[in-house]
Amino acid sequence: MARWRLCLLILAVLFSPAAPRETLRAQIWAQPPVPTLYHQLMLICEVTGEIGPQEYLWEKQGSPGPLQKHPNSILLFRPFNKTHLGTYTCTASGPQGTAVATYSLWINDMVGSVFVFPQESQSAYVQVKAKLEQPLNNFTVCLRSFTDLTRPCSLFSYATKNQSKEIRLFKPGPGRYELYVGGKFLLFRVPKSLGESEHVCASWESSTGIVRFWFNGKPWPRKGLQRGYIVGVPASILLGQDQDSFGGRFNDQQSFMGEISSVYMWDMGISTSEVKAAMYNRPNETPIFGWRNFPYKIVGEVYLKP
Ligand SMILES: *[C@@H]1O[C@H](CO)[C@@H](O)[C@H](O)[C@H]1NC(C)=O
Ligand SMILES: *[C@@H]1O[C@H](CO)[C@@H](O)[C@H](O)[C@H]1NC(C)=O
Ligand SMILES: *[C@@H]1O[C@H](CO)[C@@H](O)[C@H](O)[C@H]1NC(C)=O
C-alpha cells in the first residue's frame, strides 16, 4: 500500500510538467485537537507551498478503497465513533506536485506503557470501562503478561450478573493457561519461561465452539468448548483479580503480581497475522477496546508505568 503510493508519488514528481522547485509539505491536524467520541471531528489536510488548484485524496490504513477525493481539504466525522480510529493518509495533488501526510487517530493511547501490579492484593485491579451492548457470538482476547508467580493468577476476568466466569483468562501455574467461556474451561500447555514476558491470544466462536489459542504469536491446536453458547452483557471486565461475583468477591491467592500490557478484545475471530499485528500494537481490525484506545480505571495499588 505504502509502496505503490510512494511509486505514484515518484512518478508524479518525475512526469509532472513543472517539477516543484520548493519542497511541498502536507500536514494533517484535528479539530478539536483532542477528539471526543460521539462529537463532531474534522481532519484538515494543510499544504504549505503553492501547488495551484488542489485535490485531496483521503485513505485509511486497512480500508479497501479511498474515503474521499475532493477539492475540499477537510475529512468530516459527524459524529466521531470508534470505527473511525486508525491511521489516515492525505495526498494533496495539483499541477505542480504532490504532498502526502499521515495522521494517527487514537484515543487513550497506551503504547509504551504497562500496568504494574506490585503486590499480592485482595483489592487492587484495573477495570476496563468498555460498554458492550450486544451479546457476543465470537470474541478474541489478547494480552501480554510478565510474572514470576508460581501460584494461580487471574489475567482477564469478564463477569456478568449471571456468570462470574463468562470469559476468563487464567494462569493456574507456570506453563499453563486456561480459557473459560460461560463457566467451562480448556487448558493449554505452553513452554515454561522464566524472565520473559508472554503474549497470549484466545478466540472462541459460538457456532462451532472452536477455541483458538496463540502463544507468542504461534497458533496452538484448536479445541472446542460451549458450542451454541452466547456470551452475555453487561459485563464487568477486570485485569489482575478474579471475580467470583459481578465486580467482586476477590481472592488474593488468585491476584496477579507483575506487569500486564497490550490488552485487546474484539467481538470476532482474528487471524494469526492479526494476532502478530496486535503483539506489536498495530492491529488492522478495530477492537472493542485495545492498547491504542483503552478506557480504564485503576482501583487500589496498580500503576501505569513506561
Ligand atoms: C460510526 O459512524 C459511521 C458513519 O461515519 C456509521 O456508519 C457507523 O454506523 C457508526 N458506528 C457506530 C458503532 O456508531
Ligand atoms: C461469528 O463467527 C462466525 C464464523 O466465523 C460467523 O459466521 C458469524 O457471522 C459471526 N457472528 C457474528 C455475530 O459476528
Ligand atoms: C442465566 O443463566 C441461566 C442458567 O445458566 C439461563 O437459563 C438464563 O437465561 C441466564 N440469564 C441471563 C439473563 O442470561
Side-chain angles (χ1 to χ4, degrees):
M1 188 95 161
R3 197 173 291 167
W4 71 256
R5 220 181 279 132
L6 186 63
C7 286
L8 278 185
L9 177 62
I10 291 167
L11 285 176
V13 169
L14 285 179
F15 294 107
S16 97
R21 301 212 155 63
E22 58 177 317
T23 319
L24 296 174
R25 278 183 204 289
Q27 189 191 336
I28 298 173
W29 49 283
Q31 182 60 36
V34 180
T36 311
L37 280 173
Y38 313 121
H39 289 71
Q40 175 172 301
L41 171 69
M42 288 190 282
L43 291 186
I44 301 157
C45 186
E46 192 178 56
V47 179
T48 54
E50 193 43 60
I51 63 170
Q54 291 155 25
E55 189 169 59
Y56 298 87
L57 169 69
W58 286 95
E59 291 161 291
K60 184 182 179 196
Q61 240 175 52
S63 261
L67 299 173
Q68 183 174 301
K69 194 174 177 190
H70 204 264
N72 189 336
S73 66
I74 294 173
L75 186 64
L76 181 66
F77 304 91
R78 208 177 59 184
F80 164 56
N81 68 42
K82 76 175 172 67
T83 66
H84 300 127
L85 296 175
T87 303
Y88 289 83
T89 304
C90 159
T91 307
S93 46
Q96 295 187 50
T98 302
V100 180
T102 63
Y103 189 85
S104 288
L105 184 56
W106 303 111
I107 48 174
N108 232 5
D109 194 335
M110 312 261 283
V111 172
S113 301
V114 301
F115 286 123
V116 180
F117 297 77
Q119 56 191 345
E120 192 167 293
S121 159
Q122 204 175 351
S123 55
Y125 59 88
V126 173
Q127 178 192 3
V128 186
K129 295 180 69 176
K131 254 208 196 110
L132 283 81
E133 316 230 305
Q134 299 288 329
L136 300 170
N137 291 301
N138 306 311
F139 71 80
T140 306
V141 171
C142 295
L143 57 81
R144 179 177 292 283
S145 67
F146 192 17
T147 185
D148 62 359
L149 283 175
T150 54
R151 63 163 171 78
C153 61
S154 178
L155 298 165
F156 183 95
S157 169
Y158 175 118
T160 59
K161 298 234 163 76
N162 217 7
Q163 173 54 261
S164 65
K165 291 172 184 29
E166 191 71 329
I167 302 175
R168 184 198 201 207
L169 191 57
F170 193 77
K171 225 182 150 182
R176 288 181 294 158
Y177 283 88
E178 288 172 355
L179 177 74
Y180 282 71
V181 178
K184 301 207 167 126
F185 75 96
L186 285 176
L187 175 70
F188 292 90
R189 295 176 188 285
V190 301
K192 285 186 195 172
S193 64
L194 192 59
E196 280 176 59
S197 68
E198 299 180 354
H199 183 269
V200 295
C201 291
S203 77
W204 172 81
E205 79 180 21
S206 173
S207 58
T208 59
I210 288 177
V211 170
R212 304 188 70 187
F213 183 83
W214 293 263
F215 182 72
N216 290 336
K218 240 184 96 182
W220 249 233
R222 294 171 213 199
K223 309 182 201 183
L225 177 69
Q226 293 280 46
R227 182 159 67 96
Y229 189 77
I230 304 288
V231 169
V233 291
S236 162
I237 307 175
L238 307 188
L239 309 177
Q241 290 286 356
D242 185 43
Q243 305 176 75
D244 275 343
S245 68
F246 189 78
R249 298 242 326 263
F250 306 139
N251 175 352
D252 60 352
Q253 289 309 302
Q254 296 182 335
S255 69
F256 181 80
M257 253 174 84
E259 304 177 7
I260 293 180
S261 61
S262 296
V263 183
Y264 288 84
M265 182 172 187
W266 293 264
D267 56 0
M268 59 187 178
I270 65 171
S271 63
T272 296
S273 62
E274 187 66 2
V275 165
K276 288 181 178 155
M279 273 175 82
Y280 298 102
N281 294 305
R282 298 184 183 283
N284 294 303
E285 303 286 358
T286 307
I288 301 171
F289 53 83
W291 215 233
R292 289 186 181 272
N293 57 318
F294 198 71
Y296 71 94
K297 184 177 144 198
I298 287 176
V299 176
E301 199 181 356
V302 181
Y303 302 100
L304 185 66
K305 287 284 180 191

